[in-house]
Amino acid sequence: SCDQISTIVLPASLKSTGRNIVDHCFNLQAFEVAAGSSSYSVIDGVLFNADATELVSCPAGKGGEYTVPASVKKIAPAAFATCKNFSKIVLPEGLVSVPDYAFYECWGLSQVDFPTSLESIGDYAFDGTIIQFLLLNKNLKSVGAHAFERSSMVECMLKGSNPPSLGESAFGDDMNYTRLYVPVGSGSKYKATAWKVFPTIYEGSKSRRWAGSYR
């Protein structure tokens, strides 16, 4: 909550950081790492491990649309928490998991492009975003508790015929206006699991937004 800091310079001697280290630092635009660091690197102000395979922390003052570099295979828990100015995030192929609290309270985030490689979404991962339309690919195996709570979800489409596990209140408690789209022939499977919390489950693409998504 240091709301006047615009840049943080990390010394080359630094070996590790805690979780969610720049929470609510809304004017922070960039990390910098001193020359000689063997633990960290910086790309466009965002903090990564040395070889940029893990995204460690994003400055809370950054915003707009952001594409996570293709080299990234892991995102740290709460890495984007309270980055309220992002509108769209593109996640790279090869990413298997979105961890707990990864995009927690990113209040302006309305669109996320998920890779086909994604297998799990953690607890509270997108809680407090404004995502209304969600497309999840067939490799997804689990959605954590409260993952999309406070997101005003309107439509969710899953491309997998086998329902992923679904955590408690994953989409919040008010499901009256939320529609779920699943592959043809899989509706009964979803209705026999925790996904039955969706009041409306359609088989096949009957949504204009997701037209052709099952092809």
Side-chain angles (χ1 to χ4, degrees):
S1 297
C2 296
D3 59 6
Q4 298 304 310
I5 296 176
S6 60
T7 304
I8 293 178
V9 182
L10 304 178
S13 59
L14 187 69
K15 301 299 181 185
S16 66
T17 66
R19 169 170 145 170
N20 203 14
I21 58 175
V22 292
D23 181 53
H24 289 86
C25 295
F26 293 133
N27 283 312
L28 182 65
Q29 295 293 324
F31 285 99
E32 295 179 8
V33 176
S37 175
S38 61
S39 300
Y40 294 101
S41 62
V42 172
I43 302 173
D44 295 330
V46 179
L47 185 66
F48 299 83
N49 65 347
D51 61 1
T53 56
E54 179 180 4
L55 193 154
V56 176
S57 185
C58 182
K62 293 183 74 68
E65 297 186 3
Y66 180 69
T67 299
V68 176
S71 61
V72 171
K73 304 302 180 186
K74 181 180 179 181
I75 294 175
F80 288 87
T82 72
C83 290
K84 64 179 182 178
N85 297 318
F86 281 116
S87 59
K88 178 181 178 181
I89 297 288
V90 179
L91 299 175
E93 284 297 333
L95 185 72
V96 174
S97 175
V98 175
D100 296 350
Y101 293 92
F103 295 90
Y104 179 72
E105 293 192 350
C106 290
W107 295 111
L109 185 59
S110 62
Q111 182 178 347
V112 179
D113 289 358
F114 292 96
T116 59
S117 56
L118 191 70
E119 295 182 2
S120 67
I121 296 172
D123 297 347
Y124 296 92
F126 295 94
D127 177 23
T129 64
I130 54 172
I131 298 172
Q132 293 185 319
F133 300 95
L134 186 65
L135 177 62
L136 298 170
N137 286 295
K138 61 183 179 180
N139 290 318
L140 188 70
K141 295 179 174 61
S142 65
V143 178
H146 309 280
F148 293 94
E149 194 167 17
R150 300 184 294 167
S151 65
S152 303
M153 192 68 63
V154 175
E155 293 183 0
C156 177
M157 175 176 278
L158 284 92
K159 299 184 76 172
S161 296
N162 294 316
S165 64
L166 187 67
E168 180 183 2
S169 297
F171 291 88
D173 296 322
D174 184 5
M175 306 289 290
N176 291 332
Y177 302 101
T178 309
R179 299 181 293 276
L180 179 66
Y181 296 89
V182 298
V184 173
S186 65
S188 60
K189 291 183 181 179
Y190 279 87
K191 290 176 182 178
T193 68
W195 291 91
K196 65 184 179 182
V197 296
F198 280 80
T200 307
I201 299 178
Y202 294 108
E203 291 190 10
S205 181
K206 298 180 180 180
S207 164
R208 291 181 180 179
R209 183 176 181 87
W210 305 122
S213 292
Y214 285 125
R215 294 176 183 172

